[in-house]
């Protein structure tokens, strides 16, 4: 079975990817910036390495041979940035990716899977026309995501350069929001702490409180389950093609109205939530991603519709199997 090194393993996507791939029989090596993982990976029979990928010398701590695939999920994110520090994007995403690629060359690893931001195609949002994988990559010029997006695009360019020059197989996965339970329901915008929208709705539904449908109730978006993403990553690991850019979609985008109705159905207890419409409030961004390329080239076929996604999410919320590394819901919601 292949040896898979996951950089960014302590992040939400990294945790699920590490554990689920291990369960499928891969030899997984977890890499994160956190000094301690609280023993989480050891309990899953996964070795853990703490490094800063912006530091070349730190890569000497990692295995120096035998790695078949690097899954690169690391890098600073706007959602986690309390104080705006754009240099951290350059250090972790641009310099970090260059260091990852050099490490791969040095140890003879010839395949990388990289998580690209959906911010590079925000200019295509607003319709139900499926957005192609290979449209021009652009970035917003005046938001808290600007330098982040510039750096993610630069990292993609570096990977494409190493593909052309050194023959590295490269799988660039363009991620919208990926839905997998995490104990922490908050994120940051311009340094201000905010609820994740869907998580706020779930928490209100659990208490049977009123739920609001904002703007256009038919506004539609991708709702991708974490387990579908992990399956796509597995398909990349097993693929023999050279790679490219691939949208990560759910195959069945859903309206905000249907989202909220299903959340109420699945998370309500004895007390049922009243659902009200608020057309005067701002709609969520509408977009649909084409996944024809991933289907054709990788055999990707999403298995989770929104109902199945929510039922899986509810199990993780109630059982919290990753509490040792993510914390508990009660740590964040008082």
């Amino acid at each position: 079975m292949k040896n898979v090194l996951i950089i960014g393993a302590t992040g939400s996507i990294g945790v699920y990817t590490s554990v689920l791939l291990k369960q499928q029989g891969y030899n997984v090596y977890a890499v994160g910036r956190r000094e301690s993982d609280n023993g989480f990976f050891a309990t899953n029979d996964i070795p853990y390495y703490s490094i800063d990928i912006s530091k070349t010398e730190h890569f000497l701590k990692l295995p120096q041979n035998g790695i078949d695939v690097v899954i690169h999920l690391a890098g600073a994110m706007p959602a986690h940035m309390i104080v705006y520090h754009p240099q951290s994007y350059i250090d972790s995403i641009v310099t970090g990716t260059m260091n990852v690629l050099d490490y791969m060359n040095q140890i003879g690893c010839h395949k990388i899977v990289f998580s690209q931001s959906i911010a590079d195609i925000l200019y295509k949002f607003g319709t139900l026309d499926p957005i192609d994988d290979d449209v021009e990559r652009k970035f917003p010029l005046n938001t808290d995501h600007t330098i982040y997006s510039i750096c993610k695009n630069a990292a993609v360019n570096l990977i494409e350069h190493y593909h052309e020059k050194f023959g590295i197989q490269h799988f660039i996965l363009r991620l919208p929001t990926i839905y997998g339970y995490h104990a922490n329901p908050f994120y940051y915008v311009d340094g201000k702490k905010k609820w994740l929208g869907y998580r706020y709705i779930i928490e209100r539904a659990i208490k049977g409180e009123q739920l609001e449908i904002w703007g256009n109730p038919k506004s539609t978006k991708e709702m991708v389950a974490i387990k579908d993403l992990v399956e796509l990553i597995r398909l990349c690991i097993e693929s023999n093609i050279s790679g490219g850019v691939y949208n990560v979609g759910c195959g069945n985008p859903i309206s905000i109205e249907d989202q909220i109705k299903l959340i109420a159905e699945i998370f309500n207890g004895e007390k049922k939530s009243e659902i009200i419409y608020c057309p005067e409030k701002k709609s969520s961004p509408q977009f649909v991603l084409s996944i024809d390329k991933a289907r054709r080239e990788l055999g990707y076929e999403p298995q989770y519709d929104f109902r199945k996604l929510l039922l899986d999410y509810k199990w993780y919320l109630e059982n919290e199997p990753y509490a040792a590394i993510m914390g508990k819901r009660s740590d964040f919601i008082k």
Side-chain angles (χ1 to χ4, degrees):
M1 186 58 75
K2 291 182 173 65
N3 298 320
V4 179
L5 186 81
I6 301 177
I7 300 176
T10 57
S12 181
I13 291 173
V15 168
Y16 281 89
T17 303
S18 299
V19 173
L20 295 175
L21 289 181
K22 180 66 179 181
Q23 290 172 356
Q24 293 184 60
Y26 290 94
N27 299 316
V28 174
Y29 301 82
V31 180
R33 189 168 183 177
R34 284 172 51 167
E35 290 187 8
S36 171
D37 68 329
N38 295 324
F40 172 79
F41 288 108
T43 62
N44 287 277
D45 196 25
I46 298 171
Y48 176 68
Y49 303 84
S50 173
I51 75 166
D52 179 346
I53 63 171
S54 71
K55 310 293 185 184
T56 306
E57 64 274 16
H58 281 205
F59 284 80
L60 294 173
K61 302 177 183 179
L62 302 182
Q64 297 302 301
N65 56 65
I67 299 299
D68 299 300
V69 184
V70 169
I71 299 172
H72 180 10
L73 306 170
M77 296 179 64
H80 300 159
M81 191 169 286
I82 300 173
V83 178
Y84 184 59
H85 187 238
Q87 184 66 43
S88 64
Y89 296 133
I90 296 169
D91 293 343
S92 65
I93 299 173
V94 181
T95 302
T97 298
M98 179 65 110
N99 288 340
V100 169
L101 292 164
D102 283 342
Y103 163 73
M104 291 174 61
N105 258 356
Q106 290 164 13
I107 68 168
C109 177
H110 300 294
K111 181 181 287 187
I112 187 169
V113 181
F114 179 73
S115 57
Q116 164 67 321
S117 166
I118 201 169
D120 71 336
I121 57 169
L122 288 178
Y123 72 98
K124 287 286 188 178
F125 281 26
T127 77
L128 292 179
D129 297 329
I131 302 170
D132 188 70
D133 312 69
D134 296 311
V135 296
E136 180 184 1
R137 294 196 301 269
K138 297 183 181 180
F139 46 83
L141 290 173
N142 191 30
T143 74
D144 67 330
H145 278 59
T146 298
I147 295 180
Y148 169 72
S149 300
I150 291 170
C151 290
K152 292 294 275 190
N153 282 352
V156 171
N157 291 340
L158 286 170
I159 292 168
E160 290 176 337
H161 164 61
Y162 272 65
H163 163 67
E164 293 294 335
K165 188 170 179 63
F166 300 107
I168 289 176
Q169 291 175 271
H170 65 310
F171 297 86
I172 313 299
L173 304 184
R174 181 182 286 118
L175 309 185
T177 299
I178 302 297
Y179 293 88
Y181 172 74
H182 194 291
N184 184 357
F186 301 105
Y187 73 115
Y188 292 86
V189 177
D190 291 324
K192 296 179 180 179
K193 187 176 179 180
K194 295 180 177 290
W195 276 89
L196 290 164
Y198 72 91
R199 184 61 181 277
Y200 179 70
I201 295 167
I202 287 172
E203 293 296 333
R204 291 185 65 85
I206 290 170
K207 294 182 283 189
E209 296 177 345
Q210 186 181 81
L211 306 180
E212 297 180 350
I213 298 174
W214 287 15
N216 176 9
K218 303 303 180 183
S219 179
T220 299
K221 66 183 294 188
E222 298 282 350
M223 309 294 287
V224 181
I226 183 68
K227 289 184 178 177
D228 277 334
L229 170 60
V230 175
E231 172 59 13
L232 180 54
I233 290 172
R234 189 195 67 79
L235 291 169
C236 293
I237 292 170
E238 296 299 327
S239 177
N240 293 319
I241 66 174
S242 62
V245 177
Y246 300 90
N247 289 332
V248 181
C250 66
N252 186 26
I254 184 172
S255 71
I256 184 65
E257 180 178 45
D258 289 340
Q259 290 173 43
I260 290 178
K261 287 181 178 179
L262 277 171
I263 288 172
E265 175 188 330
I266 290 169
F267 286 94
N268 274 174
E270 292 184 4
K271 185 178 180 182
K272 304 304 179 183
S273 294
E274 176 191 11
I275 297 174
I276 64 170
Y277 291 79
C278 303
E280 74 283 0
K281 295 187 177 181
K282 186 178 180 180
S283 298
S284 60
Q286 177 168 264
F287 68 97
V288 174
L289 299 175
S290 171
I291 58 172
D292 290 345
K293 185 178 177 183
R295 280 174 162 150
R296 182 177 66 252
E297 297 187 5
L298 299 171
Y300 174 56
E301 195 59 54
Q303 298 300 306
Y304 284 76
D305 61 17
F306 194 56
R307 177 185 293 277
K308 188 176 179 182
L309 182 161
L310 289 177
L311 290 170
D312 195 57
Y313 194 102
K314 185 178 182 182
W315 183 90
Y316 279 89
L317 182 149
E318 291 175 347
N319 292 278
E320 297 194 297
Y322 301 158
I325 194 164
M326 291 184 175
K328 295 184 177 181
R329 179 166 163 249
S330 58
D331 296 333
F332 299 95
I333 301 175
K334 306 300 181 183

